[in-house]
Amino acid sequence: SDSLQVTELYMTYVQEYGALVVGRVPLQFGLGMTYNAGQGLFDHWYDNRDLVGYKIIMGNFYLLPMLAKISEGNPSSNDDVTEYLVQLQYENPEIDLEMGVFHRVRKANNSGGDAPLGTANGEIFGGPGATRGKVDLQTTSLYVVRDREYFRGGVEVSFDGGHPGVYTIDGDRTSVSAFGIAGEFEYRPESGKNKYG
């Protein structure tokens, strides 16, 4: 049997000082460590959200606040998963520099969490007898990229923290804390067809 999967379908309404975006939107930020739209030659994954956002443009800066639904559950069970996102970006083509910060808050009520619960040996969240609760997670990512004629270099850092929505058998709320860093460098010599990265 055949199936149809919609990965991107959105509308952008452009105005003089900004743009309204609504629909299933691809997300791209920095080097793609946290949010990758899958548009690169070797990208095998992509990030998108069902969201509404407004991009406010101020010279080389833009501010993009967004509201996204990760899961729209049954209206009577209050099990939606919602994200509040904001992106601040600086892009200066005159000096080939771009940088930005992206902050995400994910919230869900008791029935909206989907974190894997603990097993008898306690390998996953909460240990044996764990139960689900409210989700409150935050992710903050920062990046900077410099792209010159003969080289390109960039670094991205991301921090995760909060509560994945799991309680131990004793009623204690579990928490997560993590960070990651990614970097890339490419050298394009003036003479020659090869690139090194």
Side-chain angles (χ1 to χ4, degrees):
S1 64
D2 294 327
S3 63
L4 174 68
Q5 183 178 14
V6 178
T7 57
E8 296 177 15
L9 182 63
Y10 60 97
M11 177 202 74
T12 304
Y13 178 66
V14 180
Q15 298 173 306
E16 184 178 359
Y17 299 109
L20 173 70
V21 60
V22 178
R24 183 161 293 172
V25 181
L27 285 183
Q28 177 70 39
F29 178 76
L31 305 180
M33 183 176 86
T34 312
Y35 306 101
N36 191 320
Q39 298 168 347
L41 186 61
F42 298 105
D43 294 343
H44 300 289
W45 64 91
Y46 56 86
D47 293 299
N48 60 21
R49 299 287 190 278
D50 293 335
L51 63 80
V52 59
Y54 191 79
K55 186 178 189 177
I56 304 163
I57 301 170
M58 303 164 286
N60 291 333
F61 288 93
Y62 72 78
L63 178 68
L64 176 56
M66 297 167 275
L67 174 65
K69 280 289 184 184
I70 303 305
S71 174
E72 179 70 35
N74 189 331
S76 63
S77 62
N78 197 17
D79 57 354
D80 295 359
V81 181
T82 305
E83 284 187 347
Y84 306 91
L85 311 109
V86 64
Q87 179 180 0
L88 177 63
Q89 189 85 9
Y90 173 76
E91 297 174 351
N92 191 335
E94 294 176 0
I95 59 173
D96 301 311
L97 175 69
E98 63 180 72
M99 60 181 74
V101 60
F102 198 111
H103 184 70
R104 178 197 76 178
V105 176
R106 178 177 283 193
K107 299 240 181 218
N109 287 321
N110 293 351
S111 54
D114 63 353
L117 297 181
T119 63
N121 297 325
E123 291 101 358
I124 310 204
F125 288 124
T131 57
R132 289 193 171 91
K134 291 186 177 181
V135 176
D136 186 7
L137 294 169
Q138 299 87 35
T139 302
T140 302
S141 301
L142 307 121
Y143 90 102
V144 61
V145 170
R146 190 82 189 264
D147 194 352
R148 304 294 287 176
E149 186 176 358
Y150 303 119
F151 76 90
R152 181 181 192 274
V155 64
E156 181 175 345
V157 181
S158 185
F159 303 92
D160 287 332
H163 304 284
V166 176
Y167 288 84
T168 66
I169 195 169
D170 298 324
D172 297 326
R173 193 175 190 192
T174 61
S175 62
V176 295
S177 179
F179 75 94
I181 184 167
E184 64 182 32
F185 180 79
E186 182 178 82
Y187 174 57
R188 306 179 287 256
E190 184 176 4
S191 59
K193 299 178 180 178
N194 295 326
K195 298 178 182 180
Y196 306 93

